[in-house]
């Protein structure tokens, strides 16, 4: 839909404070590389694009902390918030480096800088227009914590069910 495309290009140009022509030029490059033009304006949920809610929350949180390292202090009282808490080892390592005040990305191998820039870019987009960034970061961490706890409870529930089935089978064998 050309009208919708035009609307979003204008809005993006305004948000980024760049000429509309620049956005159109980048869009043309994207489409000319063989990408489906409809994916540019995709508004489907993250799960259907292959990213889980946890991955989206991790990306947003770590990206925001890379942009504003001083905000790590907001998570000081968060229970069990460490490297092992993240599904992505890369995100967990970055979080630990930020938390310890170490130089971020040093010794993380080739491509780490590009991944960090990608995280910051995604966070910049996510936090565009958000006035209370501190509250948003804390909320993001809380939601990530909830999602991880849901996953862990689900795993425990399955283990309990499996154990109950195994005991039941042992009694039937007697």
């Amino acid at each position: 839909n050309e009208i919708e495309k035009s609307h979003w290009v204008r809005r993006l140009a305004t948000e980024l404070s760049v000429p509309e022509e620049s956005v159109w030029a980048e869009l043309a490059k994207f489409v000319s590389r063989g990408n489906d033009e409809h994916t540019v304006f995709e508004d489907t949920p993250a799960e259907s694009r292959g990213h889980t809610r946890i991955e989206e929350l991790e990306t947003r949180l770590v990206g925001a902390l890379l942009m504003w390292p001083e905000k790590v202090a907001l998570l000081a009282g968060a229970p069990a918030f460490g490297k092992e808490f993240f599904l992505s080892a890369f995100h967990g390592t970055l979080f630990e480096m930020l938390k310890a005040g170490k130089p971020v990305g040093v010794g993380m191998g080739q491509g780490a800088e590009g991944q960090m820039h990608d995280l910051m870019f995604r966070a910049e987009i996510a936090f565009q227009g958000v006035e209370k960034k501190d509250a948003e970061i804390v909320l993001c961490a809380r939601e990530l914590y909830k999602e991880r706890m849901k996953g862990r409870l689900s795993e425990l529930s399955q283990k309990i069910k499996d154990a109950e089935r195994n005991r039941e089978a042992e009694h039937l064998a007697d």
Side-chain angles (χ1 to χ4, degrees), residues 5 11 17 21 27 30 37 43-44 55 58 63 69 72 86 92 98-99 102 115 118 121 138 142 144 162 167:
K5 220 185 282 187
R11 186 164 175 191
S17 301
E21 294 78 29
L27 180 60
F30 183 80
E37 64 182 302
D43 61 353
T44 55
E55 290 169 332
E58 280 186 15
V72 172
F86 293 86
L98 287 161
K99 200 166 108 177
K102 295 180 181 175
Q115 287 179 313
D118 183 57
F121 176 71
V138 170
R142 263 194 223 131
L144 179 57
D162 291 344
R167 267 194 240 133

Side-chain angles (χ1 to χ4, degrees), residues 3-14 23 41:
I3 295 171
E4 186 176 1
K5 220 185 282 187
S6 178
H7 165 77
W8 288 112
V9 166
R10 186 176 309 113
R11 186 164 175 191
L12 181 60
T14 303
V23 178
F41 300 101

Side-chain angles (χ1 to χ4, degrees), residues 96-116:
E96 284 297 315
M97 291 175 130
L98 287 161
K99 200 166 108 177
K102 295 180 181 175
V104 181
V106 175
M108 292 188 70
Q110 202 172 25
E113 188 175 332
Q115 287 179 313
M116 290 187 314

Side-chain angles (χ1 to χ4, degrees), residues 74 132-140 142:
L74 296 170
K132 298 180 180 181
K133 289 178 178 43
D134 290 4
E136 186 69 21
I137 289 171
V138 170
L139 178 65
C140 190
R142 263 194 223 131

Side-chain angles (χ1 to χ4, degrees), residues 2 15 20 23 30-31 33 43 47 70-71 80 89-90 98 104 112 116 123 128-129 131 135 156-157 168 171:
E2 293 300 314
E15 287 290 324
E20 205 173 306
V23 178
F30 183 80
V31 173
R33 286 191 303 247
D43 61 353
E47 291 81 11
E70 69 280 1
K71 305 286 186 194
F90 182 71
L98 287 161
V104 181
M116 290 187 314
Q128 188 81 29
E131 292 179 26
L156 283 174
S157 174
E168 206 172 279
H171 289 304

Side-chain angles (χ1 to χ4, degrees), residues 56-72 74-75 95 98 116 118-127 133-134 136-138 140-141:
E56 292 288 331
L57 288 167
E58 280 186 15
T59 298
R60 183 176 291 184
L61 179 63
V62 174
L65 295 176
L66 283 169
M67 287 179 61
W68 305 292
E70 69 280 1
K71 305 286 186 194
V72 172
L74 296 170
L75 307 177
F95 180 77
L98 287 161
M116 290 187 314
D118 183 57
L119 287 169
M120 289 188 287
F121 176 71
R122 290 171 184 257
E124 189 174 350
I125 291 170
F127 282 81
K133 289 178 178 43
D134 290 4
E136 186 69 21
I137 289 171
V138 170
C140 190

